[in-house]
Amino acid sequence: MKLALVGDIGGTNARFSLWRDEQLEAVQVLPTADFEGPEQAIVAYLHTQGLQPGSIGSVCLACAGPVSGNLFRFTNNHWRIDRTAFCEALQIDGLLMINDFSAMALGMTRIAEHERVQVCPGEPQTDRPALVIGAGTGLGVGTLLEQADGRWLVLPGEGGHVDLPIGSPREAELWQILYRQLGHVRAEDVLSGNGLLVLYRAICELDGQPLQHATPAAITTAGLAGEPVAAEVLEQFSCWLGRAAGNNVLTLGARGGVYIVGGVVPRFAERFLASGFAKSFRDKGCMSHYLDGIPVWLVTAEYPGLTGAGVALQQAAERSPDAIRENP
């Protein structure tokens, strides 16, 4: 496989890296606002590496949203991609585009031991699916399955938009407040970066406490410092993530393990490890035993989405070079 480039593109930043010998090389983060489109950003990135268009054979980009057809518009920035024009501008053989959470899930296949922290002990059943769930801008949920030929299959879904599960009287009271505010309460409404703020406001309303924080970052900082209301937000967030993850394990039969990814939980990792996540994860009544022995890891790797884009590109190239050129 020729030298390739991989990218993981979000609303604010685009991460790029060379993919050489199945490894990331020379990762760089560029603000999307600084460039007219991804072609210009990639040319700038290549320039910093002493490379020109035509130096790379193929590109894989992980993009938020459903990927299909020749034209792709990013939902959270001003960029767009015309597949034909993109390949011509960069003089590449093919462009592979995949959903960003699919890339995140594939990244779990290359996680080193030091890049994950055990939350719940157990042994993964390698012939069963693994669950990848992550709170960030939204709540991503994906299924990872190893195939008979050793390649990996990702089944993307919209599990972050399921109803928020209720497991206690207090959660029911909080849900009533959320329902009045939102109408329909999805798991993502709470289990996301902005969800911390939504949850904080609901707890303050329920307990008659004044609002003192206006951002998720401020709530996290206050919670880690021991402020009672903010600390309860982190605890309740952890418990609700446990319930959501457990529900998905039951639905998918995901005895291959659970990977917790995304940018939210690592910001309060120690608090999370001591939280009620594990109890809530297993709290499934007569099916609680099903969750026994399923390992759960908190992923701390810096660029799993980029790595997953590399894995996707590698698998496509091994299957057939045309799989990249003909990616719909």
Side-chain angles (χ1 to χ4, degrees):
M1 182 176 173
K2 293 173 61 178
L3 178 65
L5 180 141
V6 294
D8 184 8
I9 300 174
T12 304
N13 293 312
R15 301 163 183 83
F16 296 113
S17 172
L18 299 177
W19 181 255
R20 193 198 308 263
D21 298 328
E22 301 189 36
Q23 298 289 332
L24 297 179
E25 182 179 301
V27 175
Q28 189 173 350
V29 182
L30 299 177
T32 57
D34 290 354
F35 301 92
E36 181 182 346
E39 297 94 327
Q40 292 79 11
I42 290 173
V43 168
Y45 168 78
L46 292 174
H47 180 73
T48 66
Q49 304 306 315
L51 299 172
Q52 299 296 325
S55 302
I56 54 176
S58 54
V59 173
C60 179
L61 298 180
C63 309
V67 178
S68 64
N70 190 61
L71 182 64
F72 178 82
R73 296 182 184 276
F74 291 83
T75 58
N76 48 7
N77 66 44
H78 65 284
W79 285 6
R80 63 191 291 275
I81 291 179
D82 179 299
R83 184 182 299 278
T84 303
F86 181 95
C87 292
E88 290 176 353
L90 295 176
Q91 302 172 41
I92 59 174
D93 299 329
L95 168 64
L96 178 67
M97 297 179 66
I98 62 173
N99 175 266
D100 60 339
F101 208 80
S102 294
M104 178 71 77
L106 284 173
M108 300 305 99
T109 68
R110 301 294 179 89
I111 290 295
E113 283 299 321
H114 71 275
E115 294 177 313
R116 65 184 189 183
V117 179
Q118 190 169 76
V119 181
C120 299
E123 289 295 327
Q125 296 182 14
T126 56
D127 61 336
R128 302 298 295 275
L131 171 70
V132 184
I133 183 168
T137 303
L139 179 64
V141 178
T143 308
L144 185 64
L145 184 63
E146 186 173 10
Q147 299 176 284
D149 61 4
R151 287 198 288 261
W152 293 89
L153 176 67
V154 176
L155 303 177
E158 295 298 335
H161 295 277
V162 301
D163 298 336
L164 184 69
I166 300 172
S168 71
R170 182 165 176 82
E171 288 178 358
E173 291 180 306
L174 288 170
W175 181 89
Q176 289 180 322
I177 293 172
L178 295 169
Y179 180 77
R180 288 200 302 271
Q181 296 172 348
L182 305 172
H184 177 252
V185 187
R186 307 166 300 163
E188 182 177 275
D189 291 325
V190 167
L191 298 175
S192 58
N194 191 62
L196 284 171
L197 185 58
V198 172
L199 180 56
Y200 170 71
R201 289 170 174 167
I203 289 175
C204 285
E205 179 176 333
L206 179 60
D207 295 339
Q209 297 291 327
L211 295 173
Q212 296 182 327
H213 307 295
T215 66
I219 294 166
T220 301
T221 299
L224 292 175
E227 182 186 295
V229 176
E232 184 183 349
V233 171
L234 301 184
E235 175 66 20
Q236 185 60 64
F237 182 100
S238 301
C239 291
W240 253 325
L241 182 57
R243 297 195 193 285
N247 283 354
N248 275 282
V249 167
L250 289 178
T251 300
L252 300 168
R255 299 191 62 82
V258 177
Y259 296 89
I260 299 171
V261 299
V264 175
V265 176
R267 296 189 180 110
F268 56 94
E270 289 188 15
R271 181 68 62 112
F272 177 77
L273 294 174
S275 74
F277 170 90
K279 182 178 183 298
S280 298
F281 174 70
R282 191 181 179 277
D283 185 17
K284 302 301 174 191
C286 66
M287 289 301 295
S288 295
H289 67 279
Y290 188 88
L291 285 299
D292 290 342
I294 297 179
V296 179
W297 300 282
L298 173 62
V299 175
T300 59
E302 194 169 10
Y303 301 112
L306 276 178
T307 299
V311 172
L313 193 61
Q314 191 75 32
Q315 291 193 156
E318 290 171 353
R319 186 168 68 249
S320 166
D322 290 338
I324 300 173
R325 287 194 287 267
E326 298 173 1
N327 176 237

